Amino acid sequence: MILTTTNSIEGYNIVNYLGIVTGVSMNKEGIGMGFSMSKYYGKIQSSIETVKEEAFQNLLDNANKLKANAVVGIKVEIELTTHNYAMVSVTGTAVKVIL
């Protein structure tokens, strides 16, 4: 599966637009602020990385359901909620491409 933030893929022709796909994931544990800011920021960074990978996997699963072989125009949004839950949303257009 080809994933790109651009609206086209160099060397490939988009032959069918299959629909908008999303992947969303949220950390199930809040990140409490302690005495060490470096530990706090490290926990946030780790949480976002984990949640981002889950969101991308959800995006891939949804694109596969549409029989896509690429997703173009990917946009990633990262949010830290008021209760310090990391949430990542990934959106793109599932397409069928050929060489």
Side-chain angles (χ1 to χ4, degrees):
M1 176 88 55
I2 300 170
L3 304 175
T4 182
T5 57
T6 62
N7 292 324
S8 61
I9 304 168
E10 191 172 330
Y12 290 84
N13 292 319
I14 296 174
V15 294
N16 198 3
Y17 289 86
L18 304 171
I20 296 171
V21 288
T22 60
V24 178
S25 184
M26 181 180 237
N27 184 358
K28 281 62 170 185
E29 298 176 20
I31 302 168
M33 187 178 293
F35 292 108
S36 172
M37 290 305 288
S38 62
K39 285 184 182 179
Y40 173 71
Y41 291 135
K43 286 181 183 178
I44 289 175
Q45 182 178 357
S46 174
S47 175
I48 288 172
E49 287 299 320
T50 300
V51 173
K52 184 179 75 167
E53 291 304 317
E54 290 174 7
F56 267 100
Q57 188 57 55
N58 292 337
L59 175 88
L60 286 170
D61 292 344
N62 290 328
N64 282 325
K65 288 176 187 173
L66 296 176
K67 307 272 192 270
N69 61 358
V71 179
V72 297
I74 293 176
K75 181 178 178 185
V76 179
E77 294 182 21
I78 300 171
E79 182 178 336
L80 194 60
T81 68
T82 56
H83 297 291
N84 290 339
Y85 293 103
M87 185 178 89
V88 176
S89 173
V90 183
T91 306
T93 303
V95 297
K96 183 71 83 172
V97 296
I98 58 171
L99 283 171

